[in-house]
Amino acid sequence: MKEVTTEFKEATIAVDFDGVIHKYSQGFQGLHNAYDVPYEDAIESLQVLKNKGYRLIIVSSRPTDTIREWLDKYEMSHFFDDVSNIKHPAKYYIDDHAIRFERKLDNPWKNVLEFIDYEEKK
C-alpha cells in the first residue's frame, strides 16, 4: 500500500462524503449511486474553509470516480485537492459517524463505550 505524505497535515481538513457533502437522505443505495444533492450549507462552508487557506480532501469508502463525477455535476470539484479512499494525515476530520476521543478525560475509552451504548439503544 502506498504511504501518504504528512507534508500538508496542518493545512489539511479531511471531509467524509456521504452525509456530510452528499446529503445521503435515503442512506446507502449502492456504491456507485451518489443520488442526492449537496448537504445544506456545504458549498458555502467549503468556501469559508478554502478562504481560510485549508487544503480540503475527501476521504470516503465510496469509489473515488463516483465522487469525482458527483463533484463535477454540482460544480464542486474546485474545492478539493484530492479524493481518496485512504485516510490521509489531516488537522481535522469531518465525519458524520465520528466519535470524539477526549484524551484529557480520566477514562476516555469509558466515554466512547458509553456513547456507543447510548446510540445503539436509540
Side-chain angles (χ1 to χ4, degrees), residues 96-107:
D96 60 323
H97 289 286
I99 299 173
R100 183 163 177 89
F101 189 82
E102 297 287 349
R103 294 181 306 218
K104 294 179 183 177
L105 297 177
D106 288 338
N107 189 344

Side-chain angles (χ1 to χ4, degrees), residues 17-28:
F17 181 67
D18 291 314
V20 178
I21 298 168
H22 169 245
K23 192 167 184 179
Y24 202 58
S25 63
Q26 299 172 25
F28 185 72

Side-chain angles (χ1 to χ4, degrees), residues 20-90:
V20 178
I21 298 168
H22 169 245
K23 192 167 184 179
Y24 202 58
S25 63
Q26 299 172 25
F28 185 72
Q29 301 293 316
L31 279 176
H32 298 283
N33 186 7
Y35 56 85
D36 221 339
V37 297
Y39 207 94
E40 293 86 5
D41 298 323
I43 293 170
E44 296 83 359
S45 299
L46 294 168
Q47 186 62 62
V48 168
L49 294 172
K50 287 305 275 187
N51 291 347
K52 289 182 179 231
Y54 283 105
R55 177 179 178 269
L56 301 178
I57 60 173
I58 292 177
V59 178
S60 174
S61 57
R62 188 181 286 278
T64 59
D65 60 334
T66 300
I67 296 171
R68 289 179 197 281
E69 288 174 18
W70 187 92
L71 291 171
D72 289 343
K73 176 180 177 179
Y74 289 99
E75 299 180 354
M76 296 175 65
S77 296
H78 65 283
F79 290 120
F80 298 98
D81 296 274
D82 194 11
V83 176
S84 179
N85 57 10
I86 299 170
K87 183 177 179 179
H88 285 249

